[in-house]
Amino acid sequence: MTDRNASSAVPNGQREGGPRFRFAPSPTGFFHVGGARTALMNWALARRLGGTFVLRIEDTDEARNKPEWTQGIIDALAWIGIAADDEHFEGPHFQSAHAEAHVAAAHRLYEQGDAYYCDLSGQDVQDRAAELGITGYDGYSRDRGLGPAPGRVLRFRVPEGTTVVDDLVRGAVSFENSTIEDFVLLRGNGAPVFLLANVVDDIEMAITHVVRAEEHLPNTPKQQMLWRALGHEPPAWAHVPVLVNEQRKKLSKRRDKVALEQYRDEGYLAEAMVNYLMTLGWTPPGAEEAGSEIAGWPEIEAAFALEDVNLSPAFFDVKKLTAFNKQYIKNMPPDEFVAAASVELPADWDRARFAEIAPHIQERLETLKDVPATVDFLFWPAGADAEPVDYDEASWDKATKPEWSGAFLADVIGAYEALGEHPWDAATLKATMEDLMGRYEIKLGKAQALPRVAVTGRAVGPPLFESFEVLGRDETLRRLHVAADRLGSSAQPTGAGG
RNA sequence: GCCCCCAUCGUCUAGUGGCCUAGGACACCACCCUUUCAAGGUGGCGGCACGGGUUCGAAUCCCGUUGGGGGUGCCA
């Protein structure tokens, strides 16, 4: 069955203008990461092959779909680089606008004898199946010659034989037509179902390549029969594996975090998301030699091929996504990073001050959301009447544990104050502290512990001396004194001294 | 139940009969570097589901088993 000889070259029915791909989401409220992945694949192919990416909103389920969902889809696509104003982009088209064509096609099928009406209700079908010991519809009305009437559904007359689906990623997949029931085309109320609408629209829009998730594979033989019955050669099909969760179940919005928007809001970069999504089932060329799977869109677009897509479901691993995100943040141009990170900052935080510390935190972040907590100490109220530093007590305890800590802190304060008019810069601050270390026979790693907790409240953070420099002489010394006082008073009982 | 798909380290993958004593990435561990945390460097752990074939030779081809997934709507 793995006859993967179908080429990615345009198959039959190509019209001028190159191959036509399509992405046909239904507007259900948010954009699924799995949808993003298939959209990206279609986009890569459409652009490289000089074709078109058609966006079609499948909004035929009136029960749930609002105009804003459509805008949400367009925004989400734009976020991952699929721009509506790109020359390869077409749409959005709305399926609901073609309802008449769908119905007309159904009638044509009926006229041709490829479809017939049936007056059984869903319950009737179930009852008969139970009685006959079979599943699904048994073809009860096939030869009853019923005409259209309210309440009657129109069913496709599945022919005998075998239907072979030529899939670009899986090869030839064959289905025994006898296992496919006469499926519904028009509901009892006359409304067309997805299977039909989808095919009619694809034909109408001259789609040459249908690239979608594996869950649609079982629908494909039915759609292929429809294409033929409607007088057209089917398009090239390609079913890529689904994305699964840690339980290996298809990602679902009910139990899994699948909204693209959510990742965006949580500080993930579009480029990282795009790159990661494309590594699910596929590897950018040269990744092995480079020792990295990080690849920009141009590279991906130039190399992506359906034939190279892996066949098994892939686990959407947020940990790996996060690792990619960290890489991308680290590699951002500095000014771009400042701009992106600033969005996460409270309005009253001084942007200029943030820009000073930015280079020192850029390689320490997993997401943009981590920015505020990393630099917050620079924006705490300053001055004599400011609130006391909110120390992380565990860090404080550990930093004040060494018996020399209090004396060392006092020395640091003394030395820093002795700097007088000397520039308050990181290099000076570091050298000054290092001069003191000899007396205590400690290394910088230990020496900086208490000063760090004193000024930032925590045991970890951006490089210390740079932080002191950005914070400024007055506030740094003030916090150092506050800590010394706190240490002094707590040490009082045992009369600890220098 | 029935139909279809799939099966390489924990995860994502490279691999299309000999280059494989199976390579990379993420995660994890250790060490180095070091101003904490990161980053970087080095090393390590860890896999071809099982059983039959075919072949001089199989992770790669065939069959079966087992396991996983998807679909079975008058949803899309």
Side-chain angles (χ1 to χ4, degrees):
Chain A
M1 44 98 249
T2 314
D3 176 26
R4 305 176 74 170
N5 58 359
S7 89
S8 65
V10 182
N12 42 55
Q14 187 199 343
R15 45 136 82 162
E16 294 290 317
R20 291 172 62 80
F21 293 82
R22 46 75 137 183
F23 178 58
S26 54
T28 50
F30 65 93
F31 202 76
H32 197 286
V33 290
R37 186 178 68 137
T38 55
L40 250 11
M41 290 176 171
N42 277 288
W43 184 241
L45 262 11
R47 280 181 46 105
R48 185 175 73 250
L49 272 26
T52 304
F53 172 100
V54 178
L55 172 63
R56 183 173 69 233
I57 307 295
E58 309 226 320
D59 57 351
T60 48
D61 184 2
E62 301 131 35
R64 38 160 202 197
N65 79 71
K66 300 176 184 159
E68 58 260 39
W69 295 152
T70 297
Q71 190 54 47
I73 288 172
I74 291 173
D75 291 346
L77 287 173
W79 187 61
I80 54 177
I82 301 178
D85 60 4
D86 187 283
E87 56 170 331
H88 297 276
F89 188 103
E90 179 183 308
H93 293 294
F94 293 89
Q95 186 157 74
S96 59
H98 307 147
E100 284 177 29
H102 305 153
V103 173
H107 286 156
R108 179 176 155 198
L109 256 12
Y110 170 67
E111 299 298 337
Q112 291 173 188
D114 286 320
Y116 59 88
Y117 285 93
C118 175
D119 57 2
L120 256 35
S121 69
Q123 188 56 51
D124 291 338
V125 171
Q126 274 185 40
D127 292 346
R128 285 185 62 82
E131 230 171 87
L132 271 39
I134 62 168
T135 55
Y137 180 66
D138 67 337
Y140 174 67
S141 300
R142 269 199 156 209
D143 304 307
R144 292 171 62 215
L146 260 31
R152 289 181 183 173
V153 299
L154 183 69
R155 285 179 181 273
F156 184 73
R157 189 189 302 275
V158 175
E160 308 219 313
T162 304
T163 299
V164 177
V165 171
D166 258 309
D167 192 290
L168 257 23
V169 349
R170 280 153 216 284
V173 182
S174 73
F175 298 81
E176 216 39 70
N177 289 5
S178 60
T179 65
I180 301 172
E181 67 176 39
D182 288 348
F183 53 94
V184 171
L185 259 22
L186 251 29
R187 301 187 175 95
N189 64 5
V193 301
F194 153 76
L195 231 33
L196 209 219
N198 194 266
V199 168
V200 171
D201 284 352
D202 281 346
I203 290 174
E204 200 70 22
M205 296 171 192
I207 299 304
T208 60
H209 291 65
V210 172
V211 180
R212 64 217 322 188
E214 187 186 3
E215 64 207 79
H216 290 286
L217 188 50
N219 287 327
T220 310
K222 300 178 187 175
Q223 296 195 314
Q224 185 158 291
M225 288 187 262
L226 250 22
W227 272 78
R228 294 225 159 97
L230 255 14
H232 294 269
E233 274 306 293
W237 307 103
H239 292 88
V240 300
V242 294
L243 258 30
V244 299
N245 60 21
E246 49 273 84
Q247 275 81 240
R248 303 241 116 225
K249 299 287 188 198
K250 186 173 72 163
L251 246 35
S252 97
K253 73 168 168 183
R254 288 207 52 182
R255 27 159 218 263
D256 308 307
K257 196 168 109 182
V258 299
L260 197 63
E261 295 89 336
Q262 192 178 352
Y263 286 98
R264 187 232 288 139
D265 294 345
E266 288 181 359
Y268 286 87
L269 265 31
E271 293 77 9
M273 176 60 83
V274 167
N275 192 163
Y276 175 64
L277 245 19
M278 292 305 285
T279 65
L280 260 20
W282 182 74
T283 314
E288 186 163 342
E289 300 75 74
S292 166
E293 291 175 337
I294 299 296
W297 180 253
E299 193 180 332
I300 290 172
E301 184 179 289
F304 179 73
L306 258 7
E307 292 81 358
D308 297 335
V309 175
N310 200 67
L311 275 40
S312 330
F315 170 47
F316 182 79
D317 186 0
V318 178
K319 266 187 150 177
K320 189 161 180 178
L321 199 214
T322 303
F324 271 54
N325 202 52
K326 187 165 193 168
Q327 279 292 316
Y328 273 88
I329 288 177
K330 184 181 146 228
N331 296 332
M332 281 173 105
D335 54 331
E336 203 175 291
F337 170 69
V338 170
S342 292
V343 175
E344 306 294 335
L345 268 26
D348 60 337
W349 287 13
D350 179 19
R351 265 50 186 175
R353 172 168 279 202
F354 172 70
E356 286 183 64
I357 201 72
H360 304 292
I361 68 166
Q362 201 171 339
E363 66 181 21
R364 283 160 231 267
L365 306 165
E366 293 193 329
T367 73
L368 256 21
K369 271 283 177 280
D370 297 337
V371 174
T374 306
V375 300
D376 59 355
F377 67 92
L378 292 173
F379 305 95
W380 286 340
D385 54 347
E387 294 289 305
V389 170
D390 184 18
Y391 304 111
D392 170 73
E393 291 303 333
S395 298
W396 172 270
D397 290 346
K398 190 173 180 198
T400 55
K401 192 90 175 244
E403 67 283 5
W404 49 263
S405 61
F408 181 70
L409 179 60
D411 280 354
V412 169
I413 292 172
Y416 280 2
E417 285 181 335
L419 249 26
E421 295 305 300
H422 192 284
W424 180 262
D425 58 72
T428 301
L429 265 13
K430 182 182 181 215
T432 303
M433 189 180 285
E434 282 173 332
D435 283 346
L436 261 26
M437 282 159 30
R439 269 185 257 162
Y440 295 83
E441 296 191 327
I442 53 174
K443 290 207 168 186
L444 237 201
K446 290 197 179 230
Q448 55 98 53
L450 216 207
R452 176 184 292 282
V453 175
V455 175
T456 72
R458 287 186 295 267
V460 301
L464 225 224
F465 306 107
E466 285 75 3
S467 296
F468 284 179
E469 181 184 324
V470 175
L471 222 210
R473 188 190 310 257
D474 293 350
E475 181 60 12
T476 299
L477 284 172
R478 197 205 120 235
R479 291 188 194 173
L480 252 17
H481 270 118
V482 170
D485 290 348
R486 186 189 204 223
L487 189 59
S489 61
S490 71
Q492 209 73 19
T494 54

